Amino acid sequence: MKTICKVSDDCVSILDKYQNILHKIDIKNIIDFEIIEDVDYIEKKKSTVCRTIFGGLIAGSTGAVIGAVSGLIPEFKEKKTYFLEIICTNEDENLFLSADFKTLKNIAKEILKHMN
């Protein structure tokens, strides 16, 4: 579900796509906030058969062997997920938001601007 975060002078509101308030935190109740980066490594899928055939077409039997072997060596792709954790005086109000880094950075800047 797509949500929107709106920061005003007195509160941080989480809205659904229809602008209904899902969660609301008073700015004065926010103690701290931080952006957290979570990194996962996902193994890339490789086709040994395709690599063998392609290697064979390019460089003959030697290419086929190299293609097959290269398909056996695992490769990993890095996947980053970002969260904005908002810590409040009341633990029940604590909030985790997930979005791209730029969006979370802008939200954090807005919260900081309204906290001061």
Side-chain angles (χ1 to χ4, degrees), residues 13 22 25 31 46 61 87 90 92-93 104 110:
S13 301
L22 301 173
I25 301 171
I31 298 171
K46 297 192 280 185
S61 59
I87 303 164
N90 179 358
D92 294 336
E93 288 186 313
L104 294 177
E110 283 296 310

Side-chain angles (χ1 to χ4, degrees), residues 1 17 26 28 31 33 40 45 65 75 87 89 103 108 110 113-114:
M1 172 175 40
K17 65 181 180 180
D26 287 335
K28 65 181 183 231
I31 298 171
F33 57 89
D40 288 324
K45 303 276 189 225
V65 171
E75 287 183 26
I87 303 164
T89 52
T103 300
E110 283 296 310
K113 183 170 81 175
H114 292 289

Side-chain angles (χ1 to χ4, degrees), residues 12-73:
V12 176
S13 301
I14 308 301
L15 312 171
D16 65 14
K17 65 181 180 180
Y18 304 108
Q19 301 293 312
N20 297 319
I21 296 174
L22 301 173
H23 194 80
K24 192 174 183 179
I25 301 171
D26 287 335
I27 291 281
K28 65 181 183 231
N29 292 341
I30 297 175
I31 298 171
D32 197 10
F33 57 89
E34 70 174 316
I35 295 176
I36 300 166
E37 177 184 75
D38 182 39
V39 180
D40 288 324
Y41 293 94
I42 301 165
E43 188 172 351
K44 285 179 150 182
K45 303 276 189 225
K46 297 192 280 185
S47 172
T48 304
V49 174
C50 287
R51 286 172 179 260
T52 302
I53 293 169
F54 188 71
L57 290 173
I58 299 291
S61 59
T62 305
V65 171
I66 292 170
V69 171
S70 72
L72 298 174
I73 301 167

